[in-house]
Amino acid sequence: MTDQRSYIPEHVAIIMDGNGRWASQRGLPRFEGHRRGVEALRRTITAAEDLGIRFLTVYSFSSENWRRPVTEIAELMGLLRRFIRNDLADLHARNVRIRVIGVNDGLSADIIALLDEAEKLTSANTGLTFVVAFNYGSRREIADAFRSIACEIADGSLAPADITEELIASRLNTVDIPDPDLVVRTSGEQRLSNFLLWQSSYSELVFSPVLWPDFGQDALMAAIDAYRVRDRRFGGLSAAIGGSR
Ligand code: IPE
Ligand code: IPE
Ligand code: MG
């Protein structure tokens, strides 16, 4: 009999979308959608732990989200601040390891300090790895990786022939994090919006109609159920007709 757990993806990455629409459907300010989105995030982290998922990545602020009104940006920054202040000790007690991907440019000093504290405090934890993509954009991440490689070629410590897929992956923010098996986007939108473009080359994509503030264990299970019946071929043959996977 097949072990149910063998169907659980090792790494689930989520584009948490639809907070604004959730709020406007209820005649509430967008902030209320973002606030309820934090509650959905708490439920989702717990559900991921319960399912035995090893890596959970969430897209919480994109490099393009700076295009939003300053008041909304301030609200999103405030929610991140509060989330770390309120939840860090509890996540640490649950053995969760926090990783942050993205850049510091534009972030206030106290946010940078909080993100650093969260990573440092939990760095030796061995439970769920919770990856927060904050002020993250894939193209910038790839450009930064190329710049670091170019500098080493310029100073002679690396040769052009050394540029391999593994080398590039090792210069991304996600070094030591396996590629996502499953990328979920909520709210019915069907695009990646500059999220993990390199890393999701062979991820299964599931588009959930659920608006992020309504997300939780049931919606996560529905996404995993959709993933379970996919045939991941990685360019080879289907396992069903004798492929190696
Ligand atoms: C996701 O919800 C939260 C962030 C992008 C920070 P949105 O704020 O994008 O909600 P919609 O897409 O406008 O409904
Ligand atoms: C993607 O959602 C970014 C996050 C969820 C943090 P957006 O709502 O910003 O994406 P677009 O603008 O609809 O593509
Ligand atoms: Mg959106």
Side-chain angles (χ1 to χ4, degrees):
M1 212 172 94
T2 316
D3 175 10
Q4 283 286 99
R5 286 219 161 193
S6 67
Y7 288 104
I8 298 297
E10 180 185 27
H11 183 178
V12 178
I14 307 183
I15 302 171
M16 308 184 291
D17 199 13
N19 295 350
R21 278 162 283 167
W22 184 95
S24 64
Q25 282 174 4
R26 288 162 179 77
L28 297 168
R30 290 179 62 85
F31 172 72
E32 195 53 26
H34 294 315
R35 196 183 67 74
R36 294 290 290 266
V38 177
E39 290 171 22
L41 177 60
R42 291 192 178 105
R43 290 193 297 272
T44 305
I45 298 170
T46 304
E49 289 178 283
D50 291 347
L51 286 167
I53 290 168
R54 299 299 304 153
F55 294 83
L56 174 71
T57 298
V58 297
Y59 202 11
S60 35
F61 192 86
S62 79
S63 42
E64 288 73 33
N65 287 147
W66 294 106
R67 295 177 186 156
R68 296 193 179 200
V70 284
T71 48
E72 181 167 348
I73 293 169
E75 287 167 354
L76 291 166
M77 296 292 158
L79 285 172
L80 176 83
R81 243 181 226 116
R82 240 170 295 157
F83 174 73
I84 295 178
R85 287 195 189 126
N86 288 335
D87 291 51
L88 179 57
D90 184 47
L91 291 170
H92 182 43
R94 279 152 55 188
N95 200 23
V96 172
R97 179 170 67 132
I98 298 175
R99 279 276 300 266
V100 181
I101 59 173
V103 295
N104 287 338
D105 303 8
L107 298 179
S108 63
D110 76 299
I111 297 250
I112 295 169
L114 277 171
L115 293 171
D116 280 352
E117 181 194 345
E119 280 193 306
K120 287 208 181 84
L121 178 71
T122 63
S123 63
N125 288 348
T126 55
L128 173 75
T129 297
F130 174 50
V131 185
V132 185
F134 195 79
N135 200 16
Y136 173 84
S138 222
R139 289 180 171 182
R140 166 72 188 269
E141 178 189 37
I142 291 169
D144 287 349
F146 284 10
R147 191 177 315 101
S148 96
I149 292 169
C151 287
E152 289 182 39
I153 289 178
D155 74 17
S157 55
L158 212 59
D162 296 329
I163 302 176
T164 59
E165 293 180 18
E166 290 72 25
L167 180 80
I168 294 170
S170 76
R171 302 303 172 93
L172 300 176
N173 296 170
T174 47
V175 57
D176 297 332
I177 298 171
D179 289 343
D181 301 290
L182 168 61
V183 174
V184 180
R185 185 172 186 143
T186 61
S187 86
E189 302 295 346
Q190 302 191 4
R191 57 180 169 270
L192 290 173
S193 302
N194 205 11
F195 183 54
L196 300 179
L197 300 182
W198 172 280
Q199 299 87 340
S200 65
S201 294
Y202 266 103
S203 304
E204 295 297 327
L205 308 180
V206 170
F207 299 104
S208 166
V210 174
L211 299 174
W212 178 251
D214 290 327
F215 205 83
Q217 189 180 32
D218 291 350
L220 181 63
M221 263 329 292
I224 291 172
D225 284 343
Y227 166 86
R228 278 175 169 162
V229 297
R230 301 280 177 88
D231 181 14
R232 298 188 77 190
R233 299 194 194 117
F234 297 96
L237 296 181
S238 166
I241 57 165
S244 60
R245 258 199 108 265

